[in-house]
Amino acid sequence: MPITTQGEQVAGVLESLAPDGTPLYPTVAILMPRRSTKTTSIWNVLLGRCYAHPGYKVVTTAQDGIRARNKFREVQRALDAFGFKERGLGKLYWGNGFEAIEWANGSRMWVVPPDAAAFRSEAADCMLFDEAGELDEATSEDLVAGALPLMDTRPMGQVIITGTPSPRRAALLWDTLQEGRDRKKRDVGIVDYSLRDDEPSVLYPDGEDSEPVLNEKLLYRVHPGIGTLTTIKKMRARFAKMTLVKFEAEYFCRFPTDHTVTAINPAKWDTARAEVLPVRPDRVGLAFDVAPDSSAAALVAAWRDEDGRAHIEVIGYRSGVAWLPGAGKAAAIKHRCAVAYDVIGANTNPADTMHRSRVQVTGYNIRHQQGAQQRFVDELDRENLTHYDQTDLNLAAEGANWRNVNEGGRLFGRKASASDVSPIVAAALALWQYDQVPDRQPMKIRTTATR
């Protein structure tokens, strides 16, 4: 199989060792465009390991059992054409569902469907998840929970996750790439040829209303196969026939933006950060929100200054819900205002408790919630919002993702998010509540003049 510069990069990441001789990156995600020898490079490494290290075991899968076997058989056919058996290297097994490559030195490779139970039948030194971008979220969760922990007991174990972007920014390939990009996990390595979100895949040389043209300068940077494995002429032809979203996924390795993307822009959130918490004004909007499992709750205040800039403060974020009615009542009395909440199941009991203690509460439905959350994001994007670097609010903003509702609508996803979004949900609703209530006018005292 041919060796390329990008292939050497793939091998370099896969073969990197820590000082103790174990893999520097026990988990590796590889994202490269079509026609850039991504799969060939990975298989070069794995075949080399099986040849060089007696008894080395590799189990591989793809997006489903049939396509996993088809991928595996491509490699088997290449080995068969090479004379694998005739040279005394081993045997090839072609049985439907029992495909395997067995070396004379005891090494073995076999293929299974993407099912965690299939990986438990026999221990392996390496797991290869090919076309992982095609795995849905449920399958990804199953594999992460059931298959990947099997590598914890193998000092030289390595998991390789590769593919091209899926239609959604979710599941195994996307999540692993994000871990590598964020550098939060030092044991996750990535080979990442992809277009950043702030880079345009097309240009409009004659103005925004003109026909877009391919940004070839960026394509050359992202696609290492142009000039060796494919040509720019072929790329232009593909661009002319494919939708932009499809072309970006296949050849720029950009995951499409959809309603599962991060709801809060990290750069804008950093820009909105202030360190010194001011004295809260008398007039604010108040709102609370409870996590769906009632494990925690948030009480948040929001207001605008004289320039119309929004300000957000978390009054309280604590585990459980028992503390919330008392805290809500104290805040409502102090600021002489109602407390807003989203009329979902987990919020109804604390709202009723507040109501029975003579606190005015205002419930908002899904339509209002959409408006509140869109306004919150708009204020942030316009750099017209300030928050005060509160940890709970930061974590909620960092983990918040969108979820689809009704026809084309969206809300902060409670299940789809990486952390509890209660503080950010309450913040958006508190600002909405503030904007719904007009300023309290100073009382005018009328006097009657007497002679």
Side-chain angles (χ1 to χ4, degrees):
M1 292 183 174
I3 298 296
T4 61
T5 300
Q6 63 269 25
E8 291 179 344
Q9 291 174 342
V10 169
V13 174
L14 292 176
E15 292 290 278
S16 293
L17 299 178
D20 63 357
T22 60
L24 182 62
Y25 304 115
T27 300
V28 177
I30 300 173
L31 182 66
M32 297 168 68
R34 300 286 185 191
R35 305 301 303 157
S36 59
T37 71
K38 172 180 79 268
T39 302
T40 299
S41 301
I42 296 168
W43 277 93
N44 274 335
V45 172
L46 297 183
L47 291 170
R49 288 177 180 177
C50 288
Y51 177 81
H53 305 299
Y56 193 81
K57 301 291 193 298
V58 179
V59 58
T60 177
T61 191
Q63 60 267 57
D64 58 50
I66 295 175
R67 281 175 284 192
R69 293 197 297 270
N70 289 341
K71 282 276 186 181
F72 195 84
R73 288 184 176 186
E74 288 180 17
V75 178
Q76 287 183 299
R77 283 192 287 270
L79 291 176
D80 191 39
F82 174 73
F84 184 79
K85 181 179 179 180
E86 291 76 9
R87 294 173 185 238
L89 294 175
K91 297 180 180 179
L92 304 174
Y93 294 89
W94 302 84
N96 191 22
F98 298 95
E99 291 82 357
I101 303 169
E102 293 190 352
W103 272 257
N105 65 4
S107 294
R108 185 171 186 262
M109 304 179 78
W110 70 101
V111 62
V112 298
D115 182 347
F119 288 86
R120 300 190 185 103
S121 60
E122 189 173 348
D125 299 289
C126 181
M127 293 181 181
L128 171 61
F129 296 91
D130 201 1
E131 295 299 342
E134 300 298 325
L135 298 175
D136 60 36
E137 293 167 69
T139 302
S140 294
E141 290 178 4
D142 181 50
L143 293 172
V144 169
L148 301 192
L150 297 176
M151 306 302 288
D152 294 346
T153 59
R154 306 191 71 81
M156 296 298 294
Q158 188 175 62
V159 177
I160 304 172
I161 301 163
T162 184
T164 50
S166 62
R168 294 169 59 83
R169 295 190 171 194
L172 186 60
L173 179 58
W174 169 259
D175 291 343
T176 310
L177 284 166
Q178 288 300 99
E179 290 176 348
R181 290 167 176 170
D182 295 342
R183 300 185 181 183
K184 291 182 178 179
K185 294 187 177 180
R186 297 282 182 167
D187 59 351
V188 176
I190 58 174
V191 179
D192 187 5
Y193 282 83
S194 62
L195 199 62
R196 298 191 305 268
D197 279 346
D198 61 349
E199 294 179 310
S201 62
V202 296
L203 301 173
Y204 297 87
D206 300 320
E208 291 294 331
D209 295 331
S210 63
E211 285 294 315
V213 298
L214 185 60
N215 190 338
E216 295 184 3
K217 181 179 179 180
L218 286 183
L219 185 60
Y220 271 107
R221 194 204 79 206
V222 171
H223 199 311
I226 297 177
T228 53
L229 301 164
T230 189
T231 65
I232 192 64
K233 183 178 180 180
K234 289 182 179 178
M235 294 294 99
R236 292 168 185 159
R238 300 290 182 271
F239 177 73
K241 293 182 179 181
M242 298 170 68
T243 65
L244 181 58
V245 170
K246 185 67 173 176
F247 186 89
E248 285 186 338
E250 296 286 333
Y251 298 109
F252 277 113
C253 283
R254 172 182 277 170
F255 282 75
T257 55
D258 62 7
H259 290 327
T260 66
V261 298
T262 300
I264 304 299
N265 184 315
K268 296 288 188 180
W269 189 253
D270 284 340
T271 301
R273 191 188 313 268
E275 295 182 358
V276 180
L277 186 65
V279 176
R280 198 184 313 146
D282 289 337
R283 189 173 96 79
V284 300
L286 294 174
F288 74 86
D289 191 66
V290 179
D293 60 358
S294 298
S295 59
L299 178 65
V300 179
W303 66 92
R304 293 185 187 274
D305 58 29
E306 58 185 11
D307 296 321
R309 185 177 185 83
H311 296 258
I312 305 298
E313 177 192 349
V314 176
I315 297 175
Y317 178 74
R318 293 164 53 185
S319 60
V321 185
W323 65 274
L324 182 58
K329 181 175 182 178
I333 292 173
K334 177 179 179 179
H335 295 284
R336 294 180 296 157
C337 66
V339 182
Y341 69 99
D342 180 11
V343 287
I344 61 172
N347 287 333
T348 54
N349 184 57
D352 183 63
T353 302
M354 288 186 204
H355 176 70
R356 285 187 283 109
S357 65
R358 299 186 179 182
V359 174
Q360 184 181 352
V361 291
T362 304
Y364 287 102
N365 60 27
I366 191 171
R367 180 172 60 86
H368 295 115
Q369 279 288 80
Q370 286 180 254
Q373 293 176 18
Q374 187 58 58
R375 177 172 297 178
F376 184 89
V377 172
D378 287 346
E379 295 287 355
L380 180 66
D381 289 344
R382 293 193 303 112
E383 298 185 1
N384 193 47
L385 183 145
T386 296
H387 68 91
Y388 294 96
D389 203 22
Q390 294 172 287
T391 301
D392 300 317
L393 190 62
N394 287 337
L395 291 174
E398 180 182 343
N401 290 331
W402 291 118
R403 70 176 178 88
N404 295 329
V405 294
N406 299 330
E407 296 184 5
R410 60 184 186 177
L411 289 171
F412 296 146
R414 297 177 187 274
K415 279 190 168 182
S417 297
S419 56
D420 179 26
V421 294
S422 296
I424 209 79
V425 170
L429 199 54
L431 181 61
W432 181 266
Q433 172 78 340
Y434 178 89
D435 288 340
Q436 305 311 303
V437 180
D439 287 336
R440 290 193 294 264
Q441 298 299 319
M443 184 180 296
K444 295 181 179 180
I445 302 176
R446 300 182 62 183
T447 60
T448 304
T450 58
R451 294 181 180 178

